[in-house]
Amino acid sequence: MRLHKPKIIFNHSAVLFLFLALSFLFDFIDKVDIYNNLHFIKFNRVLKVVFSIYALGVCIFHFKFFYKKIKFVFISLLILSLVFLLKGENYNFYKMEFLRYAILFISFPVLYYVVSFSNSKTITILYKLLKYIVIINVILIFAGLIFDIQIFKTYRVNRFGFNGILISQGFAPFFYMSASILFWYFKDKTLLVITILIALLSGVKGVYLAEFIAFTLIVLFDDRFSKAFKIKALIGIFIGFVSITLVILNLSPFKEIFKTSGLFTIIFSFRIENSNLLFSAINNENFNFFIGAKDLETVRLELQLVDIFIYFGSIGLLVYGYYIFKLYKIIKNNYLAIILLVTALTTSMFSGNLFYIPLSSILCTLTLLCLNEDALKVKESAQ
């Protein structure tokens, strides 16, 4: 029996992009609050709760339709929810972390619906949104660079980096990789150059890694380039990445950390040391191989695979593997979407935050689906 798309009163596309736009705005307000100790209401948290309730309501009222289309999302969320509840009396202690992970699965049906059924080109709307954010950000970043404005810096400590309106260096790699690949798709050279420039000014190692991986893969798999050009471009990208990384690592505080703790410490930002401390504290009482943490205070090291294993155990790793495989099957016909997926996953292995920061996972997932928008619309119209 054919399932017709649900008639929904709300304009999904308008709600989704309002949520994204307000997320950037409220994150910046939160950044102003943090830098100036103003004690504002956490508008970004309220926004995520409201959007999650909206998305959950859509899923519930049109469950049959969405389950038929993307049942893997519901299966993944159900299993992760059960794992969370199996933590017993300590599940309340871990609820905020669980909600961060769950928002992606709750939001996915809305993302899928907007891309697959919207009458307008969702990828064009996303392009315009990121275009305006990048333009605003480049103005603020250069203002911060020229006039030494603290609020536009990436870090509050004495460390190079300018992130403009972006509050989190953990989100920055996923924002810049999504924007870069989208601008490449639209052949917008001006915005692409601007994005690469402000990415370099971010001072975030994860951003450099993400841009390096993304453009290396683009050069390798874009059929428009000759073999000779690919070799020259890859050499140039590698030299550029190494040069920028060496410059950053020779600035404070990395220079001092290198003298006391070595190269691996500054590359992984103490993640290896923190991992050793955490795993040495794990025992049968506070951790279960299948469901993860039961009584651990630390459940996040900013190493994505490790973070999932610590929080959800081996079951969580299987669930996320299943989810990623199913997502790959949706976007597998678009090489840029595959590049974005590989870049996001690889970057998260070393810096985490892809699935932990809701805006990271939602923006990357929306970009993945948008890059495959035409195929999704054809598929749904044929059914």
Side-chain angles (χ1 to χ4, degrees), residues 54-252:
Y54 166 76
L56 189 60
V58 172
C59 293
I60 292 172
F61 283 110
H62 305 284
F63 177 78
K64 184 176 180 181
F65 173 83
F66 285 120
Y67 185 78
K68 178 70 174 180
K69 300 290 183 182
I70 47 174
K71 68 173 66 176
F72 72 94
V73 174
F74 295 98
I75 292 171
S76 299
L77 179 59
L78 175 63
I79 296 174
L80 293 179
S81 299
L82 291 174
V83 169
F84 168 66
L85 293 174
L86 285 172
K87 295 182 184 295
E89 61 182 14
N90 291 317
Y91 79 91
N92 192 55
F93 177 73
Y94 297 116
K95 65 183 178 182
M96 292 309 298
E97 282 79 10
F98 175 73
L99 291 175
R100 282 178 167 273
Y101 285 111
I103 286 177
L104 168 62
F105 301 99
I106 295 171
S107 306
F108 192 98
V110 175
L111 306 183
Y112 185 86
Y113 183 91
V114 168
V115 176
S116 301
F117 296 106
S118 176
N119 293 325
S120 56
K121 288 283 286 184
T122 308
I123 193 169
T124 303
I125 302 173
L126 180 60
Y127 161 76
K128 290 179 179 178
L129 174 65
L130 296 186
K131 170 185 175 180
Y132 292 130
I133 292 172
V134 166
I135 290 173
I136 292 170
N137 224 27
V138 71
I139 295 170
L140 299 181
I141 285 172
F142 273 95
L145 184 62
I146 295 169
F147 300 107
D148 194 33
I149 302 173
Q150 181 66 36
I151 193 65
F152 300 137
K153 294 183 178 181
T154 306
Y155 305 98
R156 299 175 69 186
V157 296
N158 183 27
R159 175 175 169 181
F160 173 80
F162 292 85
N163 236 4
I165 65 172
L166 303 185
I167 185 175
S168 170
Q169 61 266 30
F171 168 64
F174 307 103
F175 170 74
Y176 286 117
M177 73 172 72
S178 297
S180 295
I181 289 178
L182 202 61
F183 296 152
W184 182 277
Y185 173 86
F186 278 94
K187 299 180 175 65
D188 193 327
K189 295 178 182 178
T190 302
L191 277 176
L192 185 60
V193 171
I194 291 173
T195 302
I196 294 172
L197 177 60
I198 59 177
L200 294 177
L201 292 174
S202 70
V204 180
K205 299 191 298 294
V207 171
Y208 302 154
L209 176 63
E211 294 294 285
F212 169 70
I213 295 171
F215 285 106
T216 297
L217 293 176
I218 287 173
V219 169
L220 280 173
F221 294 103
D222 196 315
D223 295 333
R224 295 173 298 175
F225 300 140
S226 66
K227 185 176 180 181
F229 175 83
K230 287 184 178 184
I231 293 172
K232 294 176 183 177
L234 290 173
I235 292 173
I237 291 170
F238 178 77
I239 292 174
F241 171 68
V242 172
S243 300
I244 292 296
T245 302
L246 289 176
V247 169
I248 293 296
L249 295 184
N250 276 284
L251 299 175
S252 294

Side-chain angles (χ1 to χ4, degrees), residues 313-326:
S314 57
I315 294 176
L317 289 177
L318 291 174
V319 169
Y320 273 96
Y322 166 70
Y323 168 80
I324 291 166
F325 172 72
K326 289 292 188 178

Side-chain angles (χ1 to χ4, degrees), residues 205 263-273 303 350:
K205 299 191 298 294
L263 181 62
F264 280 103
T265 298
I266 58 175
I267 290 176
F268 290 98
S269 300
F270 292 97
R271 289 180 176 88
I272 295 176
E273 290 82 353
L303 298 166
F350 299 99

